[in-house]
Amino acid sequence: MDLTDCGLMEPGHIACAGCGAALAMKMVSRVIPEETRVVVPAGCWSIIMGRHPDLCVRVPNVHTPFALACGFATGMRAALRRKNGDSPVLVWAGDGATYDIGFGALSAAAERNEDIIYVCYDNEAYMNTGAQRSSSTPYGAWTTTTPDLKREDKKDVVFILAEHGIPYIATASVSHPDDLMKKVKKALRKSGFRFILLFTPCPTGWMMEESQTVNAARLAVEAGVFPLLEVENGVFRVTYEPSWIPVERYFELQGRFKDLDEKGVSSFKERLERRWRRIRERVKDAHL
Amino acid sequence: MYNEAMERRILTGAEAVACAVELVKPEVIPVYPITPQTHIIEKLAGCVASGRLSAEFIRVESEMTAIGAVAGALVEGIRAFTATASQGLLFMHEVLHWIAGGRLPAVVAVCTRGVGAPWTLWCDMQDVLSQRDTGWMQVFASSAQEALDFLILAYKVAERCSIPAMVALDGFLISHTAEPLEVVDDEVVSQFLPPFEFELALKGEDPFTLWPIPGAEKYYRIRKELFEDHRKALDVWMEEFDRWYSLTGRRYSPVEAVLPENAKEAFVCVGALSGTVSHMMKNALLDEGVGLIDIKLFRPFPEELLRNAASSLDTVYVIDKAVSYGRSGILGEEVEAALRDVCRVKNMVGSLGGLDLGPERIVELYRRARDSREKVIWI
Ligand SMILES: Cc1ncc(C[n+]2csc(CCOP(=O)(O)OP(=O)(O)O)c2C)c(N)n1
Ligand code: SF4
Ligand SMILES: [Mg+2]
């Protein structure tokens, strides 16, 4: 992959150095058509997209309130239908907008099978407000509102959305750009509600060296922490088999797991195994 | 001439709103039910299902998404409509601010209703007057006829000014009460309301961004512009009221005063209450020399018109159906600010949560307010 090709993204943005979410947009903007409506609810991307009147991705873009991405996108899609416009409508939302405050609207848009591509850039916390916990924050992670570490599992949004029976769900990681772009392209070819979850490490919130973004994303995939999946009409597929490196190697890079003790780490591993058992079951079902 | 273009029908306020929507022809209608708005959306569901109205009718999961979808459609340059009430309007609050700041000419019908807790289904104005500071224009209908007319007018003014507008009609009292009215025909409406063209609409060809974070200077300027344009919108309402009069023969004004000769006192109210007061005047249920000032347009607030209307009066009695706790009735507060140096202003909280406010109670309130030094009179 040509790393200098920024697609529709301007060279230069105002995200933190090493921002995984900015990197993810660079990849996505290489494959989306330039008339793609990009809907951005509150989050780091409200800033990254550019200060007035700048725009760092050359697309028609709308900023919305936090829980309103699906509302706006629904109206825009309906309006485009009236105009016979077939521009894709793409929501670009953080995990807080997706897993938490906009979750009801997300579920409803999926249930209505709105003709929208919903992309969640997942940095596993409310980063824009200073790294507070979201329901995407993993078990054992430090955030500013879980100084004693998060005790609950990361919400499994892929499973929940899979139960909505939408045409396409994919997960992808900035460590695997070709896979990521392939999945976005595939989503673009389909219609109906499409959901893509992107793993986008945040050096600032994860207390990690800026140079380690891609590395952390890769280790997360290889340790099975972030599974690369596709779900088409409810049918699960693992698109990349992890090499099952120890999760400690992933944790080591980051400050947010440094207080997790041995017991915590083994609990994390058990949770991980459970999760993969569930994934394997769904994959097996698919072959019955 | 205009009379021939008019069909007389018997409709409830909710049906009148649906009828107006059918005439305006918004192409995106996201809806979420709440009493007493439901008849509007049910009627529209029928219109769309039967093909009488060609629109995207979207049954969304909340008022927040309903108003979000209205905004989304407008962003694409397509006219939209939704209706709500009470908790639903409160649920939209964040987006109401967003739409006004974003200068989207949205139009929403509100069948006014009290707010919880405790639960109430019945009429007051707390829902709509609580949205006073969102930057929306607010117009109050006191009959089904006005609900129909004002909805069409609201689109015209909203689109001319790029300021959203809320049309309030009293829940049940107007929304569910059938009355004879005149329905304009398609031709009149298409003469009155040009096709929607929205200059901020996203165009596919250029990169374009709506509402990125500006510097504080720019933010301040944007909001100042909204404030100034709101003021200017008052003239636009008057122009469009005139135009509506020439097309339909129905004359409206932001402030409508009915004052007997030598009147020294008047009631001030919005919505259905003015119907009650005017009935009392006609049937001599009020003391002689007591009149009525009916405020049709609450935002932008027609301060000069109100001052002129009250210029010969000693006292006005404002009947409120909404309260600013720790202060007074909301309408009362506004009227007092406008008339401080014109006449005495008495404020009465006449009804909340549908408390029956008929002629007897109004007379009783009036007597008590007249003789009392209390700042705010409650029943
Ligand atoms: C209704 C509302 N509540 C709270 C906020 C404050 N807020 C802005 S962004 C944000 C967190 C966003 O988190 P996420 O969606 O994960 O995006 P990220 O910042 O991580 O990119 C919060 C809490 C808001 N803008 N609106
Ligand atoms: S806080 Fe994290 S997600 Fe936000 S801009 Fe910085 S690196 Fe990116
Ligand atoms: Mg986040």
Side-chain angles (χ1 to χ4, degrees):
Chain A
M1 168 185 149
D2 173 10
L3 290 171
T4 59
D5 179 359
C6 295
L8 295 170
M9 201 161 158
E10 304 282 354
H13 56 70
I14 53 177
C16 311
C19 176
L23 187 57
M25 176 57 98
K26 174 168 145 184
M27 295 169 189
V28 169
S29 77
R30 285 169 58 155
V31 292
I32 55 174
E34 59 190 6
E35 74 273 13
T36 306
R37 272 53 173 165
V38 176
V39 180
V40 178
C44 275
W45 262 92
S46 308
I47 311 296
I48 304 171
M49 202 68 179
R51 274 170 74 98
H52 185 94
D54 296 333
L55 176 64
C56 87
V57 188
R58 294 189 303 276
V59 288
N61 155 245
V62 183
H63 290 274
T64 80
F66 205 6
L68 265 295
C70 279
F72 271 71
T74 295
M76 290 165 76
R77 177 82 273 157
L80 281 163
R81 268 196 299 274
R82 298 296 301 184
K83 299 195 282 189
N84 295 321
D86 52 7
S87 317
V89 176
L90 184 141
V91 171
W92 183 257
D95 49 288
T98 305
Y99 289 66
D100 291 339
I101 201 164
F103 191 66
L106 167 64
S107 167
E111 185 267 339
R112 295 193 303 271
N113 198 26
E114 293 289 346
D115 190 18
I116 292 168
I117 303 179
Y118 189 111
V119 183
C120 170
Y121 64 94
D122 189 357
N123 51 26
E124 302 195 317
Y126 301 158
M127 293 311 180
N128 189 234
T129 38
Q132 295 84 15
R133 157 222 212 266
S134 78
S135 58
S136 165
T137 303
Y139 167 84
W142 174 94
T143 67
T144 53
T145 50
T146 53
D148 48 354
L149 310 186
K150 191 183 178 220
R151 285 153 211 251
E152 304 81 15
D153 265 337
K154 180 181 173 90
K155 186 193 272 185
D156 204 328
V157 83
V158 168
F159 271 81
I160 300 170
L161 283 169
E163 294 304 321
H164 289 66
I166 53 179
Y168 188 65
I169 301 174
T171 66
S173 162
V174 288
S175 55
H176 294 66
D178 290 325
D179 178 63
L180 187 154
M181 291 187 290
K182 207 174 86 195
K183 285 169 173 168
V184 176
K185 274 190 203 151
K186 190 163 175 182
L188 282 164
R189 285 197 303 270
K190 291 174 177 274
S191 56
F193 198 79
R194 293 144 283 171
F195 180 80
I196 301 179
L197 183 65
L198 300 181
F199 195 62
T200 59
C202 161
T204 311
W206 294 10
M207 292 176 294
M208 182 176 79
E209 288 283 337
E210 297 140 26
S211 60
Q212 295 304 307
T213 302
V214 172
N215 198 20
R218 175 169 299 113
L219 296 182
V221 171
E222 295 297 354
V225 171
F226 190 84
L228 298 186
L229 306 169
E230 259 181 351
V231 187
E232 287 179 78
N233 297 312
V235 178
F236 274 62
R237 204 160 67 82
V238 175
T239 58
Y240 180 86
E241 200 52 48
S243 59
W244 301 108
I245 60 161
V247 291
E248 286 88 341
R249 284 193 46 207
Y250 168 61
F251 288 169
E252 271 162 20
L253 291 177
Q254 311 166 49
R256 64 177 175 153
F257 290 111
K258 82 174 185 325
D259 292 340
L260 191 64
D261 60 14
E262 231 171 85
K263 234 175 94 201
V265 173
S266 56
S267 173
F268 188 99
K269 288 180 177 169
E270 278 165 32
R271 289 157 196 265
L272 198 59
E273 278 167 26
R274 258 206 312 275
R275 176 139 190 255
W276 272 92
R277 271 203 301 279
R278 282 215 313 275
I279 294 172
R280 302 275 190 225
E281 274 164 28
R282 291 297 290 259
V283 172
K284 202 169 75 216
D285 285 351
H287 295 296
L288 289 179
Chain B
M1 169 279 255
Y2 47 74
N3 280 335
E4 284 155 30
M6 219 80 72
E7 186 194 351
R8 274 193 86 76
R9 289 168 66 181
I10 294 181
L11 297 177
T12 64
E15 289 166 340
V17 168
C19 189
V21 172
E22 224 184 302
L23 289 161
V24 167
K25 300 183 182 48
E27 296 181 65
V28 174
I29 308 178
V31 298
Y32 195 78
I34 183 166
T35 304
Q37 150 267 35
T38 43
H39 289 180
I40 297 177
I41 64 169
E42 287 162 0
K43 195 93 191 153
L44 289 174
C47 289
V48 175
S50 70
R52 280 220 314 276
L53 179 61
S54 166
E56 295 276 334
F57 191 78
I58 316 171
R59 295 90 175 160
V60 295
E61 82 296 345
S62 75
E63 287 85 357
M64 205 188 274
T65 294
I67 191 71
V70 165
L74 290 168
V75 154
E76 291 288 347
I78 294 290
R79 205 178 262 153
F81 173 78
T82 195
T84 190
S86 184
Q87 313 297 129
L89 186 62
L90 304 188
F91 206 50
M92 290 179 178
H93 183 74
E94 179 187 15
V95 198
L96 297 181
H97 278 282
W98 195 272
I99 285 173
R103 301 303 295 264
L104 299 179
V107 173
V108 169
V110 182
C111 298
T112 73
R113 166 182 150 184
V115 301
W119 279 119
T120 176
L121 296 171
W122 314 118
C123 177
D124 66 37
M125 297 287 178
Q126 195 68 41
D127 52 357
V128 67
L129 287 178
S130 298
Q131 313 308 318
R132 181 187 69 172
D133 300 336
T134 54
W136 282 56
M137 300 190 284
Q138 296 189 316
V139 58
F140 286 80
S142 31
S143 65
Q145 178 76 70
E146 289 182 7
L148 187 148
D149 290 352
F150 289 178
L151 200 94
I152 300 167
L153 278 149
Y155 275 95
K156 179 72 180 282
V157 180
E159 290 172 11
R160 268 189 70 186
C161 303
S162 280
I163 302 175
M166 220 174 266
V167 179
L169 53 152
D170 298 58
F172 294 107
L173 301 180
I174 294 178
S175 69
H176 286 54
T177 307
E179 49 180 289
L181 48 74
E182 287 177 338
V183 179
V184 288
D185 71 4
D186 256 335
E187 217 164 289
V188 170
V189 176
S190 44
Q191 233 178 309
F192 180 71
L193 188 68
F196 181 41
E197 274 185 38
F198 182 48
E199 68 176 305
L200 281 182
L202 292 185
K203 313 262 189 328
E205 56 270 24
D206 298 318
F208 191 89
T209 176
L210 281 179
W211 317 314
I213 191 164
E217 295 265 349
K218 174 88 185 171
Y219 180 90
Y220 186 87
R221 213 174 73 230
I222 289 169
R223 290 289 172 159
K224 181 179 171 210
E225 245 168 55
L226 176 59
F227 183 84
E228 289 169 349
D229 290 350
H230 238 274
R231 293 236 157 137
K232 291 183 206 150
L234 182 59
D235 291 334
V236 180
W237 276 100
M238 310 234 298
E239 280 170 34
E240 296 304 339
F241 279 145
D242 282 350
R243 192 156 153 64
W244 191 250
Y245 172 60
S246 69
L247 286 169
T248 68
R250 289 194 291 280
R251 192 197 287 279
Y252 298 112
S253 164
V255 173
E256 292 181 7
V258 188
L259 299 176
E261 226 175 301
N262 303 324
K264 287 287 157 224
E265 297 183 326
F267 286 100
V268 180
C269 44
V270 296
L273 251 180
S274 55
T276 313
V277 174
S278 105
H279 162 85
M280 292 168 73
M281 286 172 69
K282 281 186 202 133
N283 294 280
L285 301 174
L286 286 177
D287 293 355
E288 250 173 71
V290 182
L292 164 68
I293 297 176
D294 179 9
I295 297 182
K296 298 286 181 209
L297 188 64
F298 184 72
R299 280 292 182 274
F301 195 74
E303 183 158 356
E304 278 313 308
L305 294 173
L306 178 62
R307 289 170 65 87
N308 290 342
S311 60
S312 62
L313 302 178
D314 294 335
T315 311
V316 294
Y317 298 84
V318 185
I319 317 181
D320 250 300
K321 300 211 291 191
V323 184
S324 176
Y325 293 92
R327 182 80 176 95
S328 64
I330 295 179
L331 183 61
E333 181 192 341
E334 298 272 339
V335 172
E336 192 177 12
L339 300 184
R340 192 164 288 146
D341 54 346
V342 174
C343 64
R344 267 195 311 261
V345 178
K346 303 268 189 176
N347 185 201
M348 322 182 290
V349 179
S351 171
L352 292 175
L355 185 75
D356 187 40
L357 188 58
E360 273 169 37
R361 204 161 239 166
I362 290 174
V363 167
E364 182 195 321
L365 266 172
Y366 164 74
R367 297 253 149 80
R368 275 192 39 215
R370 197 184 48 192
D371 303 333
S372 162
R373 286 167 172 278
E374 272 176 88
K375 221 179 129 12
V376 183
I377 312 287
W378 288 74
I379 287 171

